[in-house]
Amino acid sequence: MGKKRRTEVVAGEVIEKPESQIRMMWDTLKKNKAALGGLVVIVLLVFLAIFGDLLAPYDPEYSDMAHTFVKPCSQYLFGTDQLGRDIFSRVLSGTKISLMVGLCAVAFSLIIGTILGSVAGYFGGRVDGFIMRCMDIMLSIPSILLAITLMAALGKGLDKAIIAIGIVSIPEYARIVRSSILSVKENDYVAAAKVIGNSDRRIIFRHILPNVVSSIVVRATLGISTAILDTAALGFLGMGVQPPMAEWGDMLGRARTYIFSAPYTLIFPGLAITLAVLAFNLFGDGLRDALDPKERV
């Protein structure tokens, strides 16, 4: 099936023009209701991350020991925890931390992984072998176990969590970029760029990477959900964000003792994690279809 075309009237003549790629991708994305729903949730999460502190009815770090374990009610929508802190306010505050760690960790791993994958795929030989064997060693270790080991070495804290989660994700991006470059670098336009004297760096970043960006974008979108899960896992183990800051995984870890006496202290942060991860996964799947010309409507 040929490309979609739109008509324009210019100087009294009807001219057909190919429909823009962005419009075609958006049309495909709109047909995927699950992906569109994921996008709506992501926009809502970003809004809450930016304005959550203004919308929170209470200070998420304030402890009121006179109101511990208050069940969800009109005054406390999600109830209060063992220290009398409003769970609704803490869930809102945790949105900002989880998204920030996810975005920063993915950006860190994306940059390093893209550079390593580009060098390995473009130069090949021993350089490729050395880089990819290092990536294989990292992939042979369970990601959460490697993240815990890095956190033990780096110490606790938000910045340390970003670095640890980012390092764990580097091999995935390196392998994706390498495989994409191996299939692109033999094209004629790359050979032409070499003939006219372009440097290797210019060829990689100017002529090759723009043609493999779609697969990178899709993996980065899905990688945010993985980073949110890893952040929650580290927080659950007490190695991520430290109190009194609010973070979904840390809230789960500290409330697990009260799973039967006050289950709402776990339900709401758990639902927040599930909703965020599901939204990014659904949107990532839809974005993959939209960027694939074979799947476009």
Side-chain angles (χ1 to χ4, degrees):
M1 183 174 63
K3 291 183 178 180
K4 289 187 176 182
R5 294 179 176 273
R6 56 187 175 86
T7 59
E8 289 186 2
V9 179
V10 180
E13 297 182 0
V14 178
I15 300 176
E16 287 190 354
K17 292 187 176 182
E19 192 170 355
S20 69
Q21 298 294 316
I22 295 178
R23 183 177 180 83
M24 292 174 65
M25 288 188 292
W26 173 243
D27 289 341
T28 303
L29 194 63
K30 286 194 299 183
K31 293 291 183 180
N32 191 330
K33 301 302 181 183
L36 200 60
L39 178 60
V40 171
V41 174
I42 291 173
V43 172
L44 177 61
L45 290 174
V46 172
F47 175 82
L48 294 178
I50 297 174
F51 301 104
D53 292 339
L54 300 177
L55 298 175
Y58 301 97
D59 184 350
E61 299 179 4
Y62 176 72
S63 298
D64 184 2
M65 299 304 295
H67 294 86
T68 59
F69 293 120
V70 176
K71 295 182 179 180
C73 58
S74 58
Q75 183 179 2
Y76 300 102
L77 295 180
F78 291 175
T80 62
D81 61 9
Q82 67 276 15
L83 296 178
R85 297 172 297 192
D86 180 48
I87 296 177
F88 178 70
S89 300
R90 291 182 64 78
V91 169
L92 290 181
S93 180
T95 305
K96 176 174 61 178
I97 293 177
S98 294
L99 288 186
M100 182 175 67
V101 173
L103 291 172
C104 292
V106 167
F108 176 82
S109 57
L110 177 62
I111 294 172
I112 304 300
T114 299
I115 294 174
L116 293 177
S118 300
V119 173
Y122 182 79
F123 292 103
R126 294 183 178 179
V127 174
D128 180 24
F130 175 76
I131 293 177
M132 298 317 297
R133 295 301 76 75
C134 292
M135 298 298 102
D136 290 340
I137 292 173
M138 293 179 65
L139 287 173
S140 67
I141 305 173
S143 59
I144 187 62
L145 180 60
L146 181 58
I148 292 173
T149 303
L150 291 172
M151 287 296 295
L154 296 173
K156 301 178 181 179
L158 183 61
D159 54 340
K160 309 298 191 307
I162 292 174
I163 295 174
I165 296 172
I167 291 176
V168 167
S169 303
I170 288 176
E172 299 178 13
Y173 297 99
R175 291 174 68 90
I176 292 173
V177 173
R178 173 184 176 270
S179 62
S180 300
I181 287 181
L182 286 176
S183 62
V184 170
K185 72 174 185 178
E186 302 300 332
N187 290 337
D188 293 338
Y189 63 85
V190 177
K194 293 180 180 179
V195 170
I196 63 177
N198 283 323
S199 63
D200 293 332
R201 183 177 63 178
R202 181 177 177 81
I203 292 173
I204 292 174
F205 291 99
R206 179 75 174 179
H207 299 286
I208 296 181
L209 281 183
N211 292 283
V212 301
V213 69
S214 59
S215 58
I216 301 175
V217 170
V218 171
R219 184 63 193 88
T221 304
L222 296 172
I224 295 176
S225 64
T226 304
I228 292 175
L229 275 178
D230 289 342
T231 304
L234 291 175
F236 183 85
L237 297 174
M239 304 185 69
V241 175
Q242 297 302 297
M245 296 180 66
E247 191 272 322
W248 296 336
D250 180 72
M251 293 173 66
L252 284 176
R254 298 182 183 280
R256 65 181 183 271
T257 309
Y258 314 104
I259 186 172
F260 296 111
S261 59
Y264 53 87
T265 58
L266 290 91
I267 290 175
F268 293 111
L271 285 176
I273 296 172
T274 302
L275 190 62
V277 171
L278 182 61
F280 278 103
N281 282 337
L282 292 176
F283 178 67
D285 289 337
L287 188 61
R288 178 175 53 200
D289 296 338
L291 292 173
D292 185 356
K294 297 179 181 179
E295 299 290 338
R296 292 178 191 165
V297 296

